Amino acid sequence: MAAHIQERIKRLIIDQRLPSGAPLPTETELMELLGVSRNSVREALKALQAMGIVEIRHGFGTYVGPMSMAPMIEGLIFRTVAGHYRGEDSLLELLELREAVETGLIARLAGRIPEADLAELEAVVRRMEAEAAEGSVRAETDRSFHAALYGSLDNSLLSEVLEAFWDAFHRVRTDLVDVPTDPRVTCKQHREILESVRSGDALRAEEAIRDHFGNIRIRLRSAHRE
C-alpha cells in the first residue's frame, strides 16, 4: 500500500508537469484524492522526501523536491564503506564504474570541444601545474577539470551522474585510504587528456583516460597492501 501511494503521488507530479519547487496538494487534499488515511499520506511523503522527490516544509506545505543525485551519492558512499569494512574491493569497484563511464564518453569529445571549453581546460591544467609546484594538486582542481571536460556534451543528467561518482569516490577515498600521489604525474596525465581531445585523436584520448584511471588503481592497490 505504501509503495502504491508513493507511485500515485509521483504520477501526480508527472501528469501535472510540476517543476521543482511547485506546491503539492495539502495532506487533506491528497487523502481525498487518493482515498487513504492521513498517516498513509504522511508515510508516503516521508519516503518520497528521502528520495529527493518531494520537500516537506513544516508550517508551509509540501513541494516538489530538487530531485538531485544526493540520495544516489549517499547510497554509493554507504555501499562502498560497508563493502570496504567487509574486506571487499568496493572502492576499486567504484573507481572502475567511473572509468567505464568516462572512457565511453571521451571519444565523442575528441576534436569537438568548443574553443571556450578548451581554454577553460587549459586554465585548469595550468592551475594544476602551479599547485603541483607547491607540493600537491587540490582535489577541487581535479574535479573542475573533469566537469569542464564533459560540459560541452550539454547533458545535465550526465553531468550530475559524473559529479555523483566523483563525489562518492573522493569522499570515501579520503575517509578510508591514504593514497599517495605524485602531483607531477597528475599534471602530466591531465595535460595528455587535454592535448588528445584538442588534437581530435579519439584513440589517444581513450588511452589517456585509461592511463589516468590505471594510475589511480595502482595507487589504491598499493595503499591497501600497506
Side-chain angles (χ1 to χ4, degrees), residues 72-222:
M72 175 182 171
I73 294 171
E74 294 305 319
L76 279 171
I77 290 171
F78 180 79
R79 182 189 186 284
T80 305
V81 172
H84 176 84
Y85 282 110
R86 289 195 300 266
E88 300 168 5
D89 287 334
S90 54
L91 191 54
L92 282 168
E93 289 175 356
L94 184 54
L95 176 68
E96 288 172 357
L97 182 58
R98 272 191 66 199
E99 179 181 5
V101 173
E102 295 203 29
T103 303
L105 292 170
I106 196 70
R108 294 171 54 188
L109 294 169
R112 300 176 186 174
I113 298 181
E115 285 300 322
D117 289 357
L118 287 172
E120 182 179 356
L121 286 165
E122 177 67 37
V124 174
V125 171
R126 291 189 181 218
R127 187 159 73 247
M128 279 186 177
E129 291 166 347
E131 291 171 359
E134 295 178 357
S136 65
V137 174
R138 294 172 61 242
E140 199 54 45
T141 306
D142 184 5
R143 183 182 197 138
S144 297
F145 178 88
H146 289 267
L149 182 61
Y150 301 104
S152 62
L153 292 175
D154 196 26
N155 184 322
S156 59
L157 179 59
L158 174 62
S159 296
E160 286 189 55
V161 169
L162 289 172
E163 282 282 296
F165 290 161
W166 195 99
D167 195 26
F169 177 78
H170 281 271
R171 282 173 59 184
V172 173
R173 191 207 69 183
T174 300
D175 290 342
L176 296 182
V177 184
D178 182 17
V179 181
T181 61
D182 184 335
R184 295 167 299 177
V185 172
T186 299
C187 290
K188 181 180 178 182
Q189 290 181 333
H190 286 82
R191 170 63 69 185
E192 175 61 15
I193 294 170
L194 170 57
E195 296 305 330
S196 63
V197 294
R198 196 193 326 249
S199 70
D201 189 334
L203 291 178
R204 179 185 170 192
E206 286 185 14
E207 188 64 27
I209 284 287
R210 291 188 191 281
D211 285 347
H212 175 51
F213 281 100
N215 177 258
I216 299 173
R217 188 181 298 106
I218 289 169
R219 289 188 282 114
L220 271 179
R221 284 177 175 154
S222 297

Side-chain angles (χ1 to χ4, degrees), residues 42-61:
R42 286 181 175 175
E43 289 303 313
L45 291 176
K46 286 178 182 178
L48 292 173
Q49 179 171 240
M51 298 179 227
I53 294 174
V54 307
E55 180 184 358
I56 301 171
R57 303 177 192 172
H58 295 289
F60 295 93

Side-chain angles (χ1 to χ4, degrees), residues 6-7 9-14 18-22 24 44-56 62-68 71:
Q6 292 170 37
E7 289 302 318
I9 295 173
K10 287 192 284 186
R11 176 51 58 183
L12 173 70
I13 294 170
I14 292 169
L18 298 177
S20 294
L24 287 172
L45 291 176
K46 286 178 182 178
L48 292 173
Q49 179 171 240
M51 298 179 227
I53 294 174
V54 307
E55 180 184 358
I56 301 171
T62 304
Y63 299 79
V64 179
M67 302 185 207
S68 73

